[in-house]
Amino acid sequence: MYDLAEECMLTTYIMLTSLQDAIDPDFALVYKPGHFGYRDRTTTWHQKSPRAKFQDDKLVILEGFPDLSLFATTTKKETLAEDNFIRGIRDMGPGKEIPLWVVFAGQCFLDTQHVLEENLDRGHTFLISTARTMKKSVELNLDFHASLRVVNWPKENDFVLRELVKMIDTWVLKDVVADRFHKIKMQTGTPRGEPFSMLRQYPLLCGLFTFALKTRFQELSITFANAWGSIMYTAHLYNAVRSEKLMSSAWKDMELVISMQSQEALFVGDAPSTLEDYLKRYLLSMGYSATNFASNRRPGAGVAASSRGPRGMQELGKVCKLFGDRYCNNTPAVAFTRESIQPIFDSKLDDDEDDETDQETSARKGKENVPSKVKQATSGALLRKPKSDGDSDTIGTLDFLNDMANALHAEQLEVSIDYLMFHRICWRLLRQVNEACKPKLLEMYGGGYLEMENQLPFTVGYIFMAATTTSRVANLLVPRRTEEVTSRLLALAGSVMEELASESLGQALVQVLGSVHGYTVDWGDWGGENVGGG
């Protein structure tokens, strides 16, 4: 009978019903350790008898409820993230009905205890590690830019970065519940208890905290990197160097970022592979309109700017965004409308076409189906194309939920990339490239080519222009003083990149993904062919 009752969540409902009569918004529940007994940890959940299972669940709920209740009450107006169990506890009270969704959320809370057992606190360990890594990266970035500014990111914008550090300190590195319980427990003579006791037994909430931090960190770091142009234009330079065979080894971190962001986003189409196209795509990325390069363009016509403005990297994690507002910003429930999931299905179709292209390429080479580049880990690749059924597109509920869960797992790699760290690496690289090329750049363009350090991304444009017959790009680059056309600057840049790629700094992103986030990038049979496939 017990197994049937548990399967129907009846036992969980009974325990929650008995607890809600003790809830008083003006008083906090305080229990001394062992007041209701102690859990038997000598046997696993599956080894316990039905009576022992019920007793164990009761102790888990009774011991955890005071912390959960206090957290729910004190975070009504502001919290980093919360799940439906916290929401449900907040609405509980004497005489109220407990809806099924609250019971289900409570059952999930208990099930994590049954499954993880001695590994229950791994979620908290992972949260702390992720939060400290993010905080350190933000603080290093603030120090890096203490005196280095750019118009697109004025000093007052640093406020949002400092707010992220404050958020990490408040919700993760400090024990919110223990601090708020301290005075109450002192008055009752109750021991303070173990630090972070609530989060350590609540891996689901730890996961939502981590999710909230990752999505906020990605948004801020990509916005920051786009404002400086560091990653975007270093990617252009790297692609040119690799296409011209000026590097013998790949820069794995850059390959990873290009794979995640896609060539379309970084290069305004497929990666360019000719000297003229390097410059053209660079200018398009800078915000020049494609009409400037039209064959029938009138001589002397003014420079046309693109209506889209300068290009930039995009936030990843399409499925994560569907859940972000609900669990991080306390908005109403997630609505899976046709409009919200259509972009995900579109990504699936795009990836299907890529797979067919890879298969055709492999067949021509007489090899097994091995991608010619690191495969982009888009969430859409895990979702099935809807089946056409008359005028409507449908997908089975179970298939949809399974695919959505798989997509969320896949996107964790996408939202775990530290773009702030990679920005600093790319900026240092641009400094080194400029120093290596500076004598020749001064000879070809004069001292006005780089007036301030925040103009370093323009160095890439000057290198590309030096390798073509183009001598002037209005409103962007200073005109060339000589008629010399040379790829020597590109070769010098390649030498600098080659040195970086061979050092540990060339795999810093990959190392952090492994040591902090637990992801191993499997390069498979990828042999370091250039991103453009040339």
Side-chain angles (χ1 to χ4, degrees), residues 40-41 59 105 151 215 226 232 235 237 302 367 378 402 431 469:
D40 179 10
R41 299 182 183 275
L59 289 175
V151 174
T215 52
N226 283 340
M232 185 86 170
L237 183 59
K367 299 179 179 180
T378 57
N402 281 333
R431 284 175 178 169
T469 56

Side-chain angles (χ1 to χ4, degrees), residues 24-241:
D24 188 330
D26 297 325
F27 296 93
L29 296 173
V30 181
Y31 307 139
K32 291 185 178 181
H35 179 75
F36 297 102
Y38 294 93
R39 297 177 63 188
D40 179 10
R41 299 182 183 275
T42 60
T43 57
T44 66
W45 168 259
H46 298 290
Q47 294 172 335
K48 296 181 186 298
S49 66
R51 182 180 295 275
K53 287 181 178 180
F54 180 78
Q55 177 68 13
D56 190 71
D57 279 351
K58 186 174 71 172
L59 289 175
V60 169
I61 289 291
L62 290 173
E63 290 176 359
F65 199 81
D67 287 351
L68 295 171
S69 179
L70 181 65
F71 181 82
T73 303
T74 58
T75 59
K76 186 174 182 179
K77 294 183 178 180
E78 180 186 10
T79 182
L80 177 57
E82 64 182 22
D83 67 350
N84 282 339
F85 196 35
I86 295 296
R87 285 192 178 94
I89 291 175
R90 185 180 294 131
D91 294 334
M92 288 171 61
K96 290 186 177 181
E97 290 290 334
I98 300 179
L100 180 61
W101 60 267
V102 177
V103 180
F104 180 74
Q107 188 64 54
C108 290
F109 175 77
L110 292 173
D111 286 345
T112 57
Q113 305 268 342
H114 306 160
V115 174
L116 295 178
E117 295 186 329
E118 70 273 8
N119 295 316
L120 190 65
D121 62 352
R122 284 179 57 187
H124 182 249
T125 301
F126 181 72
L127 169 63
I128 292 292
S129 176
T130 301
R132 285 175 175 168
T133 302
M134 289 182 183
K135 179 182 178 181
K136 181 179 180 180
S137 185
V138 172
E139 291 176 340
L140 287 173
N141 217 68
L142 291 171
D143 291 342
F144 188 84
H145 287 279
S147 58
L148 180 59
R149 316 304 307 180
V150 70
V151 174
N152 293 338
W153 191 274
K155 193 173 184 64
E156 51 266 27
N157 282 17
D158 288 347
F159 170 79
V160 294
L161 295 175
R162 292 192 173 91
E163 278 296 297
L164 180 60
V165 172
K166 181 180 177 181
M167 182 185 299
I168 291 172
D169 284 337
T170 301
W171 295 104
V172 180
L173 301 184
K174 293 181 181 178
D175 192 343
V176 178
V177 174
D179 290 346
R180 295 177 181 180
F181 245 141
H182 184 55
K183 290 184 178 180
I184 300 173
K185 290 189 174 183
M186 285 184 63
Q187 294 172 357
T188 60
T190 305
R192 183 181 178 92
E194 296 183 8
F196 298 101
S197 59
M198 186 193 76
L199 287 176
R200 290 176 63 188
Q201 68 171 331
Y202 206 167
L204 288 176
L205 188 60
C206 290
L208 286 176
F209 275 18
T210 303
F211 168 76
L213 290 179
K214 283 186 175 183
T215 52
R216 283 173 169 82
F217 185 68
Q218 180 191 226
E219 177 186 0
L220 292 178
S221 59
I222 286 181
T223 301
F224 185 92
N226 283 340
W228 287 86
S230 50
I231 299 175
M232 185 86 170
Y233 303 113
T234 302
H236 278 257
L237 183 59
Y238 172 73
N239 171 69
V241 167

Side-chain angles (χ1 to χ4, degrees), residues 11 40 48 62 82 143-144 154 159 172 189 191 212 223 230 258 280 359 404 407 411 436 488 497 520-521 530:
T11 55
D40 179 10
K48 296 181 186 298
L62 290 173
E82 64 182 22
D143 291 342
F144 188 84
F159 170 79
V172 180
T223 301
S230 50
I258 293 174
K280 176 180 176 180
Q359 291 171 3
M404 189 68 73
E411 284 187 351
R488 181 184 173 190
M497 284 190 170
T520 300
V521 180
N530 83 77

Side-chain angles (χ1 to χ4, degrees), residues 495-506:
S495 297
V496 175
M497 284 190 170
E498 181 86 66
E499 184 176 354
L500 173 68
S502 63
E503 298 174 350
S504 60
L505 196 60

